[in-house]
Amino acid sequence: MPITVISDRIKFFINRTRERLWVKPLASCVLSIAGALIAKLADYTQLAQILPSVTVESVETLLSVMASGMLVIATFAVGSMVAAYGSASNTASPRSFALVVADDVSQHALSTFIGAFIFSIVGLIATKNGYFQHAGHFVLFILTIIVFMMVILTFVRWVDRIARLGRLGTTIEKVEKATAEALKRRRDAPNLGGRPVESKYYTGLAIPTDSIGYLQHINIAALQTYAEQINGYIAVAVLPGSFIVPGRPLAYIDAESLAPNDVDCSLVTSAFLIDKERVFDDDPRFGLVVLSQIAARALSPAVNDPGTAIDILGILTRLFVGWKTQMGSEYTPEVKYDRVTVPELSIQEMFDDAFTAIARDGSGAVEVQIRLQKMLSILAAMGDDAMRDAAIRHAQRALAYAEKNLLLPEDIATIRKISSFAFDDPLEERY
C-alpha cells in the first residue's frame, strides 16, 4: 500500500484520537511508571560514589505528599472540566463539544496531575520495598522535584484556562478556528487533490453503500491507487458532511476494460469513512452550521442575546472574505490524483448553512437585521459572481422575514434601504 494512502489514514486517525480525553492521561501514566523505575538504572553505574546522600525518609515524605495531593487535584480537575463541557454544550451548541474536549491545555493538565499521582504511587511502593539503592534514591529525589515543578507550572496555567473553558466566547473562538482551518484546507485543495468535475451528470458504474450516517472523510489516495490498478477513473459523488443512506452512490467507476462483475466495490467503499456524527476536519460547512446554531440559540426567547448573533455575523463574514481573498481569481489548485474527480463546495449551500437560521430567528430584532444586511452587502461586493448571487438571495430572504416580523414601519424602512443592493430596480420603484 502506498505511503500516501497510509499517511492519509493516520492523519485522520490522529485528529480523532485528540478528541478522546483518555489518550493523554494514559500516555502520562505509562511515562510516569517508566520514569519512576528508570531511577534504578543509576544503581548500576558509578554515580553512587559522587552523588550526595539522600535519606529514604525524605524521598518517602515527598512521594507521600504528592500521592495524597495529586489525587485530590486530579479529581478537582475532572469535575471542573466536566462542568466546563456541560456549559459549552448548554450555552453554545452540543456540536462544539468535541472541540472543547480537545483543548490541549486541559488535557495536558489532567495528564500531568494523573501522571504525577501514578509516579508517586509507583515510586513510593518501590522505595518502601527497598528497590532502590543510594544512587537510585538520589535520582528518584531529583525526578520528584522535577515532577513537583511541572505540577505547579501546569496548575497555574490550567487555572487561567479553566476559567475560560466552556465560556461562550471561548467556544465560539474554537469553532471559528476549526472552521477557518477546514476552509484553508479546502481552499488549498478545493477538489481534495483530485480533478474538478466537468459535468453535473455522472457516468459509469455506481458504487452504493450499505452504511447510514455522515460522511466524515474520503481517502482520495486510496481511490487513486485503485483507479490506477484498473486503468480507469473514479468520480466521487458525495462530499464530507453528506448524510449517507443505504443505496446512495458514493462514487462512479469508469473503466472500459473492466466488466461490472470484476469491480471490487469494497475497495472503493472502504475509502469513505461513515460515522454517526459530522467532524470539522474535512467539512467546512459543519463549522458554518455550528456557528449559525450558536447564533440561533442566542436569538431564542429564552436567551435573548442579539449581541452574540451580531458577533457571529462578523465571524461568518470574516470567514467568507478570507475564503475569497486567499483563493483569488487566478488560483489554480494542484492535482495530485489525476484519476479521481471530486466536486467543489457550493457557495450557495455554504450561505444557506451560515445565514438561513440567523435571518429567520433574528427577523424580529432590527439590530440583527441591520448587521445581516450590511454583512451580506460586503460579501456581494467581493467580486465573485457566485458569492454575489448567494448574498443577494439571502438579503432578499432576510428582508422578507423582517417585513413580516418587525413592528415599526421605521425599522422596516431602514432594512429596505440597506438591502437595496440586492435588487436591480431602484428603491423608490419597489416601495
Side-chain angles (χ1 to χ4, degrees):
M1 183 177 294
I3 296 178
T4 54
V5 178
I6 299 176
S7 62
D8 195 43
R9 293 177 178 176
I10 292 177
K11 186 183 301 182
F12 185 82
F13 175 76
I14 291 175
N15 290 336
R16 299 285 67 75
T17 55
R18 289 183 64 250
E19 299 174 358
R20 300 293 184 266
L21 192 59
W22 56 267
V23 175
K24 287 187 177 180
L26 177 62
S28 69
C29 291
V30 175
L31 293 176
S32 299
I33 294 174
L37 299 180
I38 202 172
K40 178 63 177 178
L41 298 178
D43 291 327
Y44 300 108
T45 65
Q46 301 298 322
L47 293 176
Q49 302 177 3
I50 58 176
L51 293 178
S53 299
V54 175
T55 61
V56 177
E57 291 76 12
S58 63
V59 177
E60 291 180 353
T61 301
L62 285 175
L63 292 173
S64 299
V65 171
M66 184 183 296
S68 59
M70 287 303 99
L71 183 59
V72 176
I73 294 178
T75 304
F76 168 73
V78 171
S80 300
M81 291 169 65
V82 170
Y85 299 154
S87 176
S89 297
N90 294 329
T91 60
S93 169
R95 263 63 63 185
S96 63
F97 177 76
L99 296 177
V100 180
V101 171
D103 180 70
D104 289 335
V105 175
S106 297
Q107 288 192 2
H108 177 71
L110 182 61
S111 302
T112 301
F113 300 150
I114 294 178
F117 173 73
I118 298 298
F119 171 84
S120 58
I121 291 296
V122 174
L124 191 61
I125 293 175
T127 301
K128 287 186 174 296
N129 286 274
Y131 183 72
F132 300 110
Q133 299 178 12
H134 174 69
H137 285 143
F138 181 82
V139 173
L140 183 62
F141 176 79
I142 296 300
L143 290 176
T144 305
I145 298 299
I146 293 175
V147 172
F148 258 124
M149 295 174 58
M150 291 176 56
V151 167
I152 294 173
L153 294 176
T154 301
F155 184 80
V156 172
R157 184 187 179 199
W158 175 74
V159 166
D160 178 73
R161 176 56 66 92
I162 201 64
R164 296 179 173 85
L165 189 65
R167 301 283 183 178
L168 181 60
T170 303
T171 305
I172 292 175
E173 289 178 4
K174 289 182 176 296
V175 177
E176 180 186 3
K177 181 180 178 182
T179 307
E181 291 175 350
L183 285 171
K184 181 180 183 301
R185 286 191 292 270
R186 185 58 62 88
R187 181 205 71 212
D188 296 338
N191 304 102
L192 301 178
R195 295 187 295 108
V197 176
E198 299 177 355
S199 174
K200 63 179 180 180
Y201 301 104
Y202 291 100
T203 60
L205 177 64
I207 308 297
T209 179
D210 295 330
S211 302
I212 182 170
Y214 289 101
L215 178 61
Q216 294 184 342
H217 177 71
I218 306 175
N219 194 338
I220 305 296
L223 296 178
Q224 171 75 11
T225 301
Y226 183 64
E228 292 174 349
Q229 291 176 358
I230 63 176
N231 192 26
Y233 296 88
I234 297 178
V236 174
V238 291
L239 287 175
S242 302
F243 188 74
I244 308 300
V245 295
R248 180 177 182 178
L250 300 177
Y252 292 82
I253 294 181
D254 185 5
E256 297 181 356
S257 60
L258 196 66
N261 293 333
D262 295 333
V263 175
D264 191 348
C265 296
S266 61
L267 290 179
V268 178
T269 56
S270 62
F272 294 81
L273 180 59
I274 301 172
D275 210 333
K276 298 178 181 179
E277 300 176 347
R278 298 173 72 172
V279 293
F280 291 89
D281 298 50
D282 301 324
D283 186 8
R285 290 181 56 189
F286 183 48
L288 300 177
V289 168
V290 174
L291 287 170
S292 179
Q293 289 176 347
I294 295 174
R297 181 188 289 265
L299 290 170
S300 64
V303 179
N304 192 22
D305 180 18
T308 295
I310 291 174
D311 292 340
I312 294 294
L313 286 172
I315 292 173
L316 292 171
T317 304
R318 183 161 58 245
L319 291 172
F320 279 116
V321 170
W323 166 268
K324 170 58 183 173
T325 302
Q326 295 174 5
M327 180 173 289
S329 58
E330 304 297 329
Y331 176 74
T332 302
E334 178 187 2
V335 178
K336 296 173 58 179
Y337 311 108
D338 59 346
R339 291 183 176 269
V340 182
T341 60
V342 182
E344 297 183 12
L345 288 175
S346 168
I347 288 293
Q348 292 283 352
E349 293 178 347
M350 293 170 68
F351 269 62
D352 291 343
D353 296 331
F355 299 113
T356 298
I358 300 178
R360 180 195 64 226
D361 296 337
S363 58
V366 62
E367 64 271 35
V368 175
Q369 286 295 324
I370 290 175
R371 181 57 62 91
L372 176 58
Q373 293 290 345
K374 288 182 177 180
M375 296 299 101
L376 290 173
S377 67
I378 292 174
L379 296 177
M382 287 299 297
D384 183 88
D385 292 339
M387 188 174 290
R388 176 175 173 79
D389 292 342
I392 288 176
R393 183 169 67 89
H394 277 274
Q396 295 172 345
R397 186 182 181 89
L399 177 60
Y401 275 123
E403 290 175 336
K404 184 176 181 180
N405 292 285
L406 288 177
L407 301 178
L408 296 179
E410 294 85 350
D411 292 340
I412 297 177
T414 300
I415 303 301
R416 288 173 177 171
K417 183 176 181 180
I418 298 175
S419 65
S420 60
F421 76 93
F423 299 88
D424 295 330
D425 52 329
L427 183 67
E428 58 271 12
E429 294 182 6
R430 289 187 287 113
Y431 303 104

